Amino acid sequence: MTKPVIWITGASAGIGAATAKKFSKEGYSVILSSRKEEDLKKVRSECEYPEDCAILPLDLADPDSMVSKVEKAIQLFGSIDIVFHNGGISQRSLAMQTKLEVDRQIMEVNFFGTIALTKAILPYFISQKSGHFAITSSLVGIIGSPYRSSYAASKHALHGYFDSLRAEHHDDHITVTIICPGFIQTNVSVNAITADGKPLNQMDDAQANGMSAEACASKIFKGIKKRKEELYIGGKEVLAIYLKRFVPGIFSKILLKAKVR
């Protein structure tokens, strides 16, 4: 019996790596992509069935490479059922102090890189009359918060794009699941770029005390299996979505007092 195939970007660490291991354990063939090939090899060795995991290095900042990457990905296992857009970069800097080239870098990777890969594989999904896009957004893809202006903007953009794509390709049986994690125990804050583009190299307290990447991956697996349109993952920080939606004035006051960094 042929295994279903999931292709995961940003698979070298954090949520991507944990999700790769979860899908491998559940009987999927997994394509692991990121810029860090050595880290991908380590993730593959830790998967339940490493023989059914393939490595395909990919740089989201190189949109012109996406068509050839899709061709190679399809050849690895003969098909692709799910693309999990998980690669990206985060930010920790004030909007006023952040250089415009840093704003552009965040958008280029998080939004345009993801869209370039989507456009490259979409004709394949249309031709086979099935396909599933899962996208790692963030709670700040809905609410926004200080020190994350362009990161939040890039995630907001993903919501708009994929909500539209879902409606446009409903008749092609293409599914879209937008995943919004809150505080998850990963190095996302350590690797976040600052106002001049340099990494923060510091772990946020909220990140360190958040949900484990493994628990997050389990929820992602269930959400994708159930073909959820949106998935909110985290602890009490998830309540911020509902505060923003129903009592935005109160939410703004809470956000000012929270001093989120």
Side-chain angles (χ1 to χ4, degrees):
M1 183 177 178
T2 304
K3 289 185 173 185
V5 180
I6 182 170
W7 183 7
I8 304 175
T9 67
S12 57
I15 291 173
T19 303
K21 295 171 191 177
K22 175 62 176 176
F23 272 85
S24 176
K25 184 177 180 180
E26 296 293 339
Y28 283 68
S29 294
V30 183
I31 301 171
L32 306 165
S33 286
S34 81
R35 293 175 301 145
K36 302 175 181 178
E37 189 169 358
E38 289 304 312
D39 290 348
L40 292 176
K41 290 177 181 178
K42 182 175 185 297
V43 173
R44 180 175 62 183
S45 71
E46 295 171 348
C47 284
E48 189 84 7
Y49 301 102
E51 66 276 13
D52 288 323
C53 295
I55 291 173
L56 181 61
L58 179 145
D59 185 354
L60 288 172
D62 182 15
D64 293 337
S65 69
M66 295 306 170
V67 171
S68 64
K69 293 294 183 180
V70 166
E71 292 171 353
K72 291 176 182 177
I74 294 170
Q75 291 170 2
L76 288 170
F77 294 109
S79 65
I80 297 174
D81 301 288
I82 305 167
V83 173
F84 180 24
H85 289 301
N86 178 69
I89 50 177
S90 191
Q91 170 197 19
R92 296 295 186 276
S93 58
L94 292 170
M96 186 178 70
Q97 296 175 354
T98 304
K99 294 181 178 179
L100 184 60
E101 56 262 35
V102 174
D103 296 320
R104 290 185 184 277
Q105 179 186 358
I106 293 167
M107 290 299 298
E108 191 66 42
V109 172
N110 291 1
F111 181 70
F112 288 109
T114 297
I115 299 318
L117 179 53
T118 298
K119 286 178 178 289
I121 198 168
L122 188 56
Y124 171 77
F125 278 174
I126 292 171
S127 68
Q128 71 177 9
K129 284 293 181 180
S130 68
H132 194 151
F133 290 108
I135 305 97
T136 296
S137 174
S138 169
L139 293 189
V140 300
I142 298 175
I143 61 175
S145 69
Y147 301 97
R148 296 162 175 82
S149 53
S150 290
Y151 176 72
S154 70
K155 297 301 187 178
H156 276 68
L158 289 173
H159 281 257
Y161 187 91
F162 281 99
D163 281 345
S164 297
L165 186 140
R166 182 194 293 116
E168 291 175 1
H169 292 284
H170 175 268
D171 291 343
D172 294 313
H173 307 286
I174 293 173
T175 303
V176 172
T177 300
I178 302 177
I179 300 157
C180 302
F183 298 126
I184 311 297
Q185 292 174 22
T186 71
N187 282 334
V188 65
S189 61
V190 177
N191 298 324
I193 57 177
T194 55
D196 59 0
K198 295 177 182 177
L200 180 66
N201 289 323
Q202 182 179 327
M203 175 67 76
D204 289 347
D205 289 341
Q207 217 77 50
N209 296 317
M211 177 184 289
S212 72
E214 291 73 23
C216 179
S218 181
K219 290 181 180 294
I220 288 172
F221 176 79
K222 292 176 182 176
I224 290 175
K225 287 287 286 183
K226 291 179 179 179
R227 298 179 176 271
K228 293 278 191 179
E229 289 196 358
E230 280 195 0
L231 193 59
Y232 308 143
I233 302 175
K236 61 183 180 181
E237 68 271 17
V238 171
L239 294 174
I241 292 175
Y242 303 100
L243 289 172
K244 173 69 172 177
R245 183 178 301 164
F246 298 113
V247 284
I250 293 175
F251 170 74
S252 292
K253 291 178 181 178
I254 293 173
L255 191 62
L256 287 172
K257 293 178 180 178
K259 297 181 180 179
V260 177
R261 184 67 185 265

